[in-house]
């Protein structure tokens, strides 16, 4: 599978993004400077590495407890 097809497939797995929208997003990214795509890739990696569920309420957070649960 080509890099373009792979990106279209992954983008089309997002909610409300069909295959046609995924193609549009892919072409948009290809028209941008490479740095923009690299920033997006880093942001996605950071999201996957740093964000987790709060141990108490299961809200999204970057620490073991979210700000609400950590507040005494």
């Amino acid at each position: 599978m080509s890099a373009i097809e792979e990106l279209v497939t992954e983008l089309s797995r997002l909610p409300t993004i069909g295959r046609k929208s995924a193609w549009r997003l892919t072409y948009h990214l290809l028209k941008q400077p490479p740095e923009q795509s690299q920033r997006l890739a880093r942001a996605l990696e950071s999201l996957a590495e740093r964000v987790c569920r709060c141990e108490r309420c299961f809200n999204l957070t970057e620490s073991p407890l979210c700000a609400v649960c950590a507040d005494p």
Side-chain angles (χ1 to χ4, degrees):
M1 181 181 298
S2 75
I4 292 174
E5 290 170 341
E6 185 176 355
L7 180 58
V8 168
T9 298
E10 293 306 317
L11 289 172
S12 66
R13 290 184 175 148
L14 295 170
T16 72
I17 304 293
R19 199 138 175 92
K20 191 172 181 180
S21 293
W23 276 103
R24 281 192 208 109
L25 290 168
T26 299
Y27 284 131
H28 171 77
L29 290 170
L30 287 170
K31 291 177 187 175
Q32 303 306 306
E35 300 80 33
Q36 184 171 342
S37 295
Q38 292 164 352
R39 282 193 306 271
L40 177 59
R42 283 193 301 274
L44 288 168
E45 284 182 29
S46 177
L47 182 75
E49 292 170 0
R50 295 170 46 192
V51 176
C52 61
R53 296 279 181 182
C54 172
E55 294 173 355
R56 192 172 295 156
C57 72
F58 307 107
N59 196 12
L60 296 173
T61 182
E62 290 189 29
S63 55
L65 293 177
C66 69
V68 174
C69 292
D71 186 4

